[in-house]
Amino acid sequence: MRSLNMIEGCKGTQIYAFNQSGKTTTNGYGGGGGVGEKFLQHLHERVSSVRSKSNRNYQAMQPKDNVKSAVLVEALASYGLPQTDFIEPQIESYLKSVNFVETLADVYRRMEGCSKFEISGMYLEQCAIFKGLSDPKLFRKCLKSGREHAVDVHSKVVLSAWLRFDRREDELIGVSAMDCCGRSIECPRSSLVSGYNPELATDPCLCHQRPVQDEDTEVYIGDEECSTSISHDYEEEDYDMSFCMGEEEIRCRRFNMASLSRPFEVMLYDGFMESRREKINFSQNGISANGMKAAEMFSRTKSVESFDPDTVLELLSLANKFCCNEMKSACDAYLASLVFDMDSAMLLIEYGLEETAYVLVAACLQVLLRELPNSMHNPNVSRLFCSSEGKDRLASAGHASFLLYYFLTRTAMEEDMKSNTTVMLLERLGEFSSIGWQKQLAFHQLGCVMLERKEYKDAQKWFEAAVEAGHVYSLAGIARAKYKRGHMYKAYKLMNSVISDCTPSGWMYQERSLYCHGKEKMMDLSTATELDPTLSYPYKFRAMSMVEENRTEAAISEIDKIIGFKVSPDCLELRAWFLIALEDYEGALRDVRALLTLDPQYVMFHGKLQGDKLVELLRHTVQQRNQADCWMQLYDRWSSVDDIGSLGVVHHMLANDPGKSLLLFRQSLLLLRLNSHRAAMRSLREARNQATSEHERLVYEGWILYDTGYREEAISKAEESISIQRSFEAFFLKAYVLSETNSDSESSLYVIQLLEEALRCPSDGLRKGQALSNLASIYVDVDKLDSAIDCYVNALTIKHTRAHQGLARVYHLKNQRKAAYDEMTKLIEKASYNASAYEKRSEYCDRELAKSDLTMATKLDPLRTYPYRYKAAVLMDDHKESEAISELTKVIAFKPDLHLLHLRAAFHDSMNEPTSTIRDCAAALCLDSSHADTLELYSKARQRSNE
C-alpha cells in the first residue's frame, strides 16, 4: 500500500557543532580526555599507522584497504565529533495547540453553524491546524475543500494556485503554469468565475467542454453576462449629438450615451449646458478620438470584442472616470482574456491596478501565483507583494488578503526561511491578521524566522505577540530567545511555569531540558519521549551522550529506535557518523545515500561538507559494484524489507545511470513506505520528466494525480497509457486505483482481470511480487481463498517477503490459526523492519502472547494505533474504564487519529459522559466529516445531551 505521510524533523544545518579549527577544545569533546579528543587521536594514529605501512611498500589493493580508509579518516578528522552542547530542536513554525482535541472539536462545531460565505475561511483555518500533522493528505483535503467552497474570484485564484503549488507542477518539464489540467477546481479559466458552486468543483472544467461559436460567446463577470452577439444598425439621422475631440466630431445618439452611466445621464439630460448642446467639447477628458468612437460603438453594441487592446485600455480609463460599470466590466473581462503568461501579466497588471480592474488584476495575479516560486525572483513581482505600497495597491483592487499572504509566506519559507523576502511577506501577513488564529500564526512564524536569522530580540518580541494572541506554544520560542540572549535561568523558569499551568506535553519537557544539566536534563528528555515518542531530539541527545562515554554501539541502538519508525536526514547523518567511528563504511555510505535521497541538497557536518562529497570519500572504502551487482543487492534488500538499505542501493544505481526513470519510480515507492511523502513526490516528478516514452510518462503522471487525491484522473492516465502500449505499470496503476476506489464484487472481479493482464506484461520480480500479492488480496475479498494461496506462494517464490502476511490472513480465514501464526513468525525473522508483523501476529494467538507482540510493536513503532486500541478494549472488558480512557488519551496526545478518537468517544458514551463524547466525536469529524459511525454516535450523544 502506498502511504502519504510526511516526515518531520529538525533542519540539517542545526544538528551538530564541530571543532572548526581542527584542534581539541576544553568544551564538549575537548580537553580533559574527552571522547572527541580520543576519537581524533584514534583517527590520527590510524593515519600514521597506515602511512608507516605504506612506506614499507605495503599496499594491499583490496576494496577496503587501509590506505583508502586512511584517506577518508584524514579527510574527516578535522570535522570532529558532534557535540551535545550544540544541538537543539527546532521551534516548529506552525500552530501547535496545548489541547489539540478541543481545538479540532471547536473548529468542527463552528463549521456546522457558519454560512456558505464563511466556510472556505473555516477550511483555511483547518489547513493551518493540520499543517503541523505528519499526514499531508489532511492539509491537501482541506485546501481542496476551501477551493470548492470559495465564493469570490480572489479566493478561487489563490486556492487554485496553491493546489498546483502543493503538487509542485512547476517542476514538471513541458507543463506551462496556465495549462489546464481538466479539473474545474484548478482550472485557471474556472477560477475567474465568481459564485458559490461547490458541486461543480469535481466536474470537467470549461476548457474541456464543447467549444462554443463566437456568436454564442458570453463573458461572465460576477452574476452578470455581457453578450457579444447584439448588433444594431443606425442611420445618420439616428445620431442627434456629437462629441468634439479637437477638430474631429464623433456622432452619437444621446440616449445611448446617457445609458452608459449616471454621470453621462446627468450631463446629457439634467439641466447642464451640455444637455442643450448638439456639440459637446470632450477634448479635456483624457480620451482620444478613436477611444470616443469606441465608446459610441459600445453604447450601441455593448461589446468591446472588435477593438484592439490599446483602445480597450482607453475605454477602461473612461469607464472608471465616468462610472460606466457595464463598460468597465466588459473591458475588464476582455483584457483579462489577454493574460496568458508572465510577460502579459506584468504588462497588464499595472493598468489593472491603476484602474482597479478586479478581473484583470485577478487574471494577472493568477499567473504570478501559478509561476511560484520562480515568479518571486522577478524584482517587480517581489516589490508588488512585499512592499507596503504594493499591498495597498492590491487592496484597492480587491486582491490583498490574509489568504494571499498566507500562501506567499508558505512558499517563501520553503524557499529560504531566513530571507528578507520571507520577513516582509510575514509582516504583510501580520497586517492582514484579524482574528485570533491568524494573529497567532503570523506572529509565531515571524518569531521563528527571526530566531533562524539570529535576531533574538525581535524573535522574542514576535513570540510574545503570538502568546498575547493566545498561542501557548510560542512560550517555547520566548524561552529559546531568552536563552540565546544569555538568560538561561529565565528560560528555565518560563518552561517550568508552562509545565505547571498546562497539561504536560512532550515538547514542554524537551524545551526545558535545554536549560538544565546532568540527571535533571536526562529525566526531562525521558519524560519528553514518554509523552511524545515522535520527538527526535531526545534520541539524538542520548545517542551523542553515549558516544561521549565511548559507547558507540549503544548510541547506534538508541538512534535506531527513532529511525525505525520516523526517518529523517539529521538522524541518518548522526548514525552515519557513528558508523564511521566504528569503521563500518558500508553502513555509513548506505545512510548517507539514503539521506541524500530524502534531501539532495543536504550539507553535512554543520554545513561544512556536501553530502555527495562524503559519498565520494566513502565510496572508495567499500566494495565496488556494477549495475548488475546493484540489481542483485536491491533484490536482496527489498526482499528483507530493508527500505533504507534499498534506498541506498537505488541512489547508487542512479549515480551510475541518472536518467533511469524506472529507478526513480522505485525510489518514490520506497520513500512512500518510509512516510516521506514530499521526497517521494519529488522522485515521482523526476521519473516523469526522465520518461523516454509517452506511455511511461502517462503512468507516472497518473501516480502523481492519485497521490494528490485525483483518482478518476489517475485512471484516465492509465487508460490513455494502455491505449498507446500495454504495460505492467499501466495495468497495475489502473487496478490499484480502482481497488482503492470501489470495493463491490463487480469492481473486484474487474481488478482481478487488470492484475492478470499486468502479470502477462514484462516486468521484474520486485514488481511482479507486489502484483501477485495485490491479486491475492482481491481473491480474498471475493472469497477465492485457494486462488489467493496460490498467488501468495508464487509471490514468496520470487522473494516477495511481505506475502507472508497475506498468506497468514488466508490461513486465519480457513481457521488455521497455528499456520497463520507461523507464517507471521517467518516474516518477523526475515524483515529488517517488522513492527507491523508483530502487530498482525498478535491476531493469531492467545491474549498473553498478543500482549507481548503488541508491546513489541509499540516499542518498534509507537505511531501504530492498533496496539493502543487493543489494550484499551481489554481494559474496558475488565471494567477498568478510567485506565482504558487514559491509555487512549496518552496516544491521542501525540497522534490524534480518527479511530482513536472514535473509540474514546464510544467509551465516554458507555460511561454516560455526553460532553466528552460530543467533544471527541466533533474532533474526529474534523479529521473526516464523512465517517459514518462517528456521525451516528455524534447525533445520538447530542440528542441525549439536549434531553
Side-chain angles (χ1 to χ4, degrees):
M1 302 295 288
R2 292 169 68 84
S3 174
L4 302 180
N5 293 334
M6 292 180 69
I7 62 172
E8 177 187 38
C10 300
K11 291 182 67 177
T13 55
Q14 289 186 319
I15 299 176
Y16 316 126
F18 300 91
N19 179 2
Q20 298 190 9
S21 66
K23 301 177 182 179
T24 57
T25 67
T26 57
N27 189 15
Y29 60 86
V35 68
E37 182 179 346
K38 293 177 182 178
F39 180 65
L40 292 178
Q41 182 180 353
H42 168 72
L43 292 181
H44 289 299
E45 286 175 355
R46 183 166 170 73
V47 170
S48 300
S49 172
V50 173
R51 282 175 176 164
S52 175
K53 292 178 182 178
S54 204
N55 290 335
R56 293 195 301 268
N57 295 320
Y58 174 74
Q59 294 188 0
M61 298 306 295
Q62 300 300 319
K64 286 189 177 182
D65 66 36
N66 289 333
V67 174
K68 291 180 178 178
S69 297
V71 173
L72 172 67
V73 168
E74 189 170 27
L76 299 182
S78 62
Y79 294 116
L81 272 176
Q83 290 181 254
T84 54
D85 290 346
F86 289 90
I87 66 165
E88 59 185 37
Q90 189 178 29
I91 300 293
E92 304 293 351
S93 61
Y94 48 74
L95 293 179
K96 187 191 283 282
S97 173
V98 291
N99 192 338
F100 193 67
V101 173
E102 188 57 53
T103 299
L104 292 178
D106 175 64
V107 169
Y108 182 77
R109 286 191 290 259
R110 285 189 286 121
M111 287 188 74
E112 285 185 298
C114 69
S115 70
K116 67 179 184 180
F117 300 105
E118 300 171 316
I119 195 165
S120 181
M122 291 299 304
Y123 279 117
L124 183 65
E125 183 176 352
Q126 277 192 330
C127 285
I129 293 170
F130 292 152
K131 190 64 180 176
L133 299 183
S134 60
D135 186 355
K137 290 183 292 186
L138 289 171
F139 175 83
R140 184 167 182 84
K141 180 182 176 182
C142 289
L143 204 59
K144 288 175 66 177
S145 296
R147 168 61 184 88
E148 289 172 8
H149 292 273
V151 178
D152 59 282
V153 168
H154 173 75
S155 297
K156 292 183 179 184
V157 163
V158 177
L159 290 167
S160 293
W162 200 337
L163 283 168
R164 183 181 186 277
F165 177 82
D166 190 57
R167 199 166 53 253
R168 293 313 299 256
E169 285 202 359
D170 59 289
E171 296 181 5
L172 299 182
I173 295 174
V175 176
S176 167
M178 297 303 288
D179 283 350
C180 179
C181 56
R183 300 173 295 277
S184 287
I185 196 171
E186 291 185 41
C187 172
R189 183 178 171 189
S190 298
S191 296
L192 297 178
V193 181
S194 70
Y196 182 75
N197 47 7
E199 66 283 351
L200 299 179
T202 55
D203 290 350
C205 66
L206 300 174
C207 304
H208 286 246
Q209 294 179 2
R210 178 185 63 87
V212 294
Q213 302 299 318
D214 289 344
E215 61 269 17
D216 297 327
T217 301
E218 293 180 338
V219 182
Y220 290 85
I221 306 297
D223 297 323
E224 300 182 17
E225 300 175 5
C226 303
S227 173
T228 64
S229 62
I230 304 173
S231 178
H232 296 292
D233 294 322
Y234 284 86
E235 301 296 336
E236 180 62 28
E237 58 268 20
D238 292 325
Y239 296 111
D240 54 6
M241 63 164 291
S242 301
F243 283 102
C244 298
M245 317 294 295
E247 296 181 358
E248 191 167 355
E249 292 185 15
I250 292 88
R251 299 290 291 164
C252 303
R253 190 164 181 256
R254 188 179 296 268
F255 175 79
N256 287 348
M257 295 302 293
S259 69
L260 290 177
S261 69
R262 179 61 179 161
F264 268 114
E265 181 183 358
V266 170
M267 178 178 70
L268 297 175
Y269 281 111
D270 281 7
F272 286 89
M273 287 188 298
E274 288 83 356
S275 65
R276 297 190 293 275
R277 291 178 177 173
E278 184 179 341
K279 296 182 179 181
I280 300 173
N281 185 356
F282 219 65
S283 302
Q284 304 303 314
N285 286 285
I287 189 168
S288 68
N290 280 338
M292 204 62 202
K293 288 176 183 177
E296 184 280 324
M297 187 178 293
F298 179 84
S299 73
R300 293 185 285 111
T301 65
K302 305 301 181 186
S303 170
V304 298
E305 296 295 326
S306 60
F307 307 141
D308 62 82
D310 288 339
T311 301
V312 177
L313 286 169
E314 271 200 273
L315 284 182
L316 178 61
S317 179
L318 178 70
N320 251 346
K321 189 174 293 185
F322 286 89
C323 304
C324 306
N325 294 332
E326 187 178 15
M327 185 192 294
K328 181 176 181 178
S329 294
C331 295
D332 199 3
Y334 173 81
L335 292 169
S337 70
L338 303 180
V339 180
F340 59 91
D341 60 10
M342 276 292 292
D343 290 338
S344 57
M346 293 308 299
L347 175 66
L348 289 171
I349 195 169
E350 286 300 319
Y351 292 104
L353 291 170
E354 187 68 28
E355 303 297 343
T356 62
Y358 182 76
V359 180
L360 174 56
V361 174
C364 298
L365 183 64
Q366 180 164 241
V367 173
L368 304 185
L369 296 179
R370 291 172 76 91
E371 288 280 4
L372 286 171
N374 296 327
S375 59
M376 283 299 287
H377 300 155
N378 183 315
N380 293 326
V381 176
S382 180
R383 190 180 308 113
L384 175 65
F385 287 138
C386 294
S387 67
S388 294
E389 179 191 0
K391 177 206 69 174
D392 293 339
R393 295 184 72 198
L394 286 168
S396 297
H399 285 288
S401 65
F402 178 86
L403 169 63
L404 171 65
Y405 283 97
Y406 185 20
F407 176 33
L408 291 172
T409 55
R410 289 312 313 174
T411 61
M413 291 175 75
E414 287 187 23
E415 280 283 290
D416 183 358
M417 191 171 182
K418 296 186 282 189
S419 70
N420 291 334
T421 296
T422 301
V423 173
M424 289 187 286
L425 288 172
L426 282 169
E427 288 172 347
R428 303 292 84 78
L429 181 69
E431 291 165 3
F432 278 99
S433 302
S434 58
I435 54 180
W437 74 268
Q438 294 177 354
K439 293 178 180 179
Q440 293 174 24
L441 181 66
F443 299 153
H444 180 73
Q445 288 185 335
L446 267 166
C448 291
V449 168
M450 292 303 177
L451 200 63
E452 286 286 304
R453 288 162 61 100
K454 300 183 179 180
E455 298 176 22
Y456 302 125
K457 187 174 182 179
D458 286 338
Q460 183 175 332
K461 177 189 73 174
W462 288 116
F463 283 132
E464 287 170 348
V467 171
E468 188 176 346
H471 194 232
V472 176
Y473 176 62
S474 294
L475 287 167
I478 296 175
R480 190 74 63 87
K482 287 178 181 289
Y483 169 64
K484 293 292 186 180
R485 298 176 68 193
H487 307 301
M488 187 177 192
Y489 182 62
K490 289 182 178 179
Y492 178 83
K493 283 181 62 179
L494 179 58
M495 291 314 301
N496 249 349
S497 66
V498 173
I499 292 171
S500 300
D501 297 342
C502 304
T503 303
S505 295
W507 63 264
M508 299 176 187
Y509 286 93
Q510 174 180 269
E511 190 65 28
R512 191 176 70 174
S513 73
L514 297 175
Y515 316 128
C516 53
H517 303 283
K519 290 184 178 179
E520 185 179 1
K521 186 184 193 78
M522 299 307 290
M523 287 176 61
D524 273 356
L525 290 173
S526 178
T527 304
T529 300
E530 182 182 344
L531 292 172
D532 186 353
T534 67
L535 298 171
S536 61
Y537 170 75
Y539 299 94
K540 293 194 296 182
F541 185 92
R542 286 191 291 263
M544 292 167 66
S545 298
M546 292 171 183
V547 169
E548 291 176 353
E549 298 168 359
N550 291 323
R551 297 164 54 209
T552 308
E553 291 87 351
I556 292 175
S557 297
E558 179 66 24
I559 204 67
D560 278 347
K561 291 177 183 177
I562 190 163
I563 290 176
F565 68 90
K566 182 183 173 184
V567 180
S568 61
D570 54 330
C571 290
L572 286 172
E573 179 188 5
L574 195 58
R575 188 169 72 176
W577 238 124
F578 299 158
L579 291 169
I580 290 172
L582 292 177
E583 301 182 29
D584 181 0
Y585 303 126
E586 186 88 45
L589 181 58
R590 172 205 62 206
D591 283 353
V592 176
R593 289 190 182 278
L595 77 85
L596 286 174
T597 304
L598 294 170
D599 184 357
Q601 306 303 318
Y602 196 86
V603 183
M604 303 187 67
F605 303 151
H606 203 59
K608 290 186 177 182
L609 183 66
Q610 290 286 344
D612 55 356
K613 299 294 183 184
L614 181 56
V615 168
E616 190 63 24
L617 286 170
L618 289 167
R619 190 172 64 83
H620 295 293
T621 68
V622 301
Q623 179 183 347
Q624 303 300 302
R625 294 182 175 88
N626 59 30
Q627 204 75 338
D629 295 332
C630 288
W631 271 111
M632 294 300 295
Q633 190 183 27
L634 177 61
Y635 202 92
D636 179 62
R637 297 286 187 273
W638 199 291
S639 299
S640 62
V641 198
D642 179 5
D643 294 333
I644 292 177
S646 298
L647 274 184
V649 177
V650 171
H651 187 275
H652 184 190
M653 296 172 76
L654 283 168
N656 297 334
D657 189 0
K660 194 74 171 179
S661 58
L662 175 65
L663 291 173
L664 288 162
F665 178 57
R666 299 295 164 80
Q667 190 179 73
S668 75
L669 297 175
L670 289 165
L671 288 165
L672 284 171
R673 283 186 190 173
L674 294 169
N675 294 329
S676 303
H677 183 269
R678 184 173 178 179
M681 291 298 99
R682 183 181 60 245
S683 295
L684 200 48
R685 289 190 295 270
E686 187 62 23
R688 181 265 182 202
N689 290 340
Q690 297 292 343
T692 56
S693 62
E694 178 72 6
H695 73 89
E696 185 184 9
R697 179 181 63 79
L698 288 166
V699 169
Y700 300 144
E701 288 179 355
W703 280 118
I704 291 171
L705 288 166
Y706 170 77
D707 285 326
T708 49
Y710 296 107
R711 294 184 175 184
E712 292 181 8
E713 290 82 357
I715 292 173
S716 296
K717 291 286 185 181
E719 291 171 344
E720 188 178 350
S721 178
I722 292 169
S723 71
I724 298 172
Q725 180 173 322
R726 298 162 64 84
S727 68
F728 173 89
E729 292 298 349
F731 280 115
F732 186 89
L733 168 61
K734 185 175 180 181
Y736 188 94
V737 179
L738 281 173
S739 68
E740 292 287 298
T741 306
N742 301 308
S743 57
D744 58 276
S745 58
E746 185 177 347
S747 297
S748 296
L749 292 174
Y750 183 44
V751 170
I752 289 172
Q753 294 177 23
L754 291 170
L755 288 172
E756 288 173 344
E757 288 292 335
L759 288 166
R760 292 189 188 100
C761 299
S763 187
D764 59 75
L766 298 177
R767 293 297 284 156
K768 289 213 169 185
Q770 182 66 63
L772 283 166
S773 191
N774 287 13
L775 178 58
S777 178
I778 304 300
Y779 276 135
V780 172
D781 292 341
V782 296
D783 203 28
K784 294 184 177 182
L785 301 185
D786 291 335
S787 297
I789 289 176
D790 291 341
C791 286
Y792 282 129
V793 170
N794 289 335
L796 288 170
T797 301
I798 54 178
K799 295 187 176 181
H800 185 71
T801 309
R802 286 183 171 86
H804 282 297
Q805 183 166 318
L807 193 55
R809 178 189 173 203
V810 178
Y811 287 145
H812 176 64
L813 292 172
K814 293 170 77 74
N815 294 318
Q816 300 175 21
R817 292 190 76 199
K818 177 64 168 59
Y821 183 89
D822 292 343
E823 207 63 39
M824 291 308 302
T825 301
K826 294 176 185 177
L827 177 57
I828 289 170
E829 292 169 351
K830 293 179 181 179
S832 298
Y833 296 95
N834 47 27
S836 63
Y838 278 106
E839 180 182 296
K840 291 300 294 182
R841 191 174 72 169
S842 71
E843 299 178 18
Y844 311 134
C845 54
D846 59 40
R847 179 180 283 194
E848 290 306 313
L849 286 175
K851 283 183 178 179
S852 175
D853 276 355
L854 291 175
T855 299
M856 178 60 73
T858 299
K859 179 181 178 182
L860 295 172
D861 184 357
L863 290 175
R864 305 194 71 84
T865 61
Y866 175 75
Y868 303 101
R869 288 187 280 137
Y870 177 89
K871 186 174 180 180
V874 169
L875 289 168
M876 284 296 286
D877 288 344
D878 293 340
H879 304 290
K880 298 178 180 178
E881 291 85 356
S882 297
E883 292 179 43
I885 295 287
S886 178
E887 180 69 21
L888 293 176
T889 300
K890 178 176 66 175
V891 64
I892 287 171
F894 63 85
K895 185 174 176 62
D897 175 78
L898 167 68
H899 301 290
L900 292 171
L901 287 165
H902 173 76
L903 184 60
R904 192 172 73 171
F907 287 175
H908 282 304
D909 185 60
S910 69
M911 297 165 65
N912 196 26
E913 297 176 352
T915 302
S916 297
T917 304
I918 291 170
R919 178 203 62 208
D920 283 354
C921 283
L925 291 171
C926 190
L927 297 173
D928 182 0
S929 59
S930 61
H931 193 252
D933 292 341
T934 305
L935 283 168
E936 182 181 357
L937 181 58
Y938 185 53
S939 176
K940 290 179 179 178
R942 290 176 69 185
Q943 185 177 353
R944 279 199 296 272
S945 179
N946 291 335
E947 290 173 355

